[in-house]
Amino acid sequence: MVNKILKLRIWDKEGKRWQTNVVDNEFEILCVSQFTLYNILKGNSPDFHQAMTASLSKDFFDKFMGKLRNSYKPELIKEGKFGHYMEVDLKNDGPVTIQLESPK
């Protein structure tokens, strides 16, 4: 997953689409844990029983962040506070949304 985030070519270069990645552009990366997004609908309500427990997901997120920092410039890696209520403003640049999921 770390490699995919760093190497996914989603920015244009010299008028050509999908030519550069985060590393090429020396962009910052903001990671915000969203383990509560892993749910299924049970009727009209979300069910989180298949999501990781808070302690397991915290360990998982910390390991992921460590791998990301070891694979890229640590000063360009930012993260939200795990388990905290956060308001994150996002500006979507273009009509493309790419969802990445780990096969494991």
Side-chain angles (χ1 to χ4, degrees):
M1 185 61 65
V2 167
N3 189 51
K4 187 62 73 177
I5 290 168
L6 295 175
K7 303 293 173 120
L8 187 65
R9 294 178 303 191
I10 55 176
W11 288 277
D12 300 348
K13 181 179 180 181
E14 299 172 2
K16 293 183 182 177
R17 289 194 163 259
W18 322 118
Q19 297 298 308
T20 63
N21 57 41
V22 168
V23 176
D24 296 333
N25 293 293
E26 296 185 354
F27 285 157
E28 288 184 333
I29 297 172
L30 172 63
C31 295
V32 178
S33 63
Q34 290 286 335
F35 287 90
T36 56
L37 292 179
Y38 192 76
N39 69 80
I40 59 171
L41 288 180
K42 198 172 206 179
N44 292 323
S45 300
D47 182 331
F48 300 101
H49 287 94
Q50 294 180 7
M52 284 183 187
T53 64
S55 61
L56 285 176
S57 57
K58 172 80 168 106
D59 289 342
F60 181 88
F61 186 69
D62 288 344
K63 287 177 187 173
F64 171 78
M65 292 303 297
K67 288 180 180 182
L68 192 56
R69 286 189 174 100
N70 287 334
S71 301
Y72 189 48
K73 299 177 178 183
E75 68 276 10
L76 295 179
I77 307 295
K78 313 296 180 189
E79 68 180 285
K81 293 190 183 224
F82 188 91
H84 287 235
Y85 178 86
M86 291 176 284
E87 285 189 31
V88 179
D89 289 319
L90 166 65
K91 181 180 178 183
N92 192 11
D93 183 12
V96 176
T97 300
I98 298 171
Q99 182 174 323
L100 301 176
E101 289 189 30
S102 173
K104 295 180 183 178

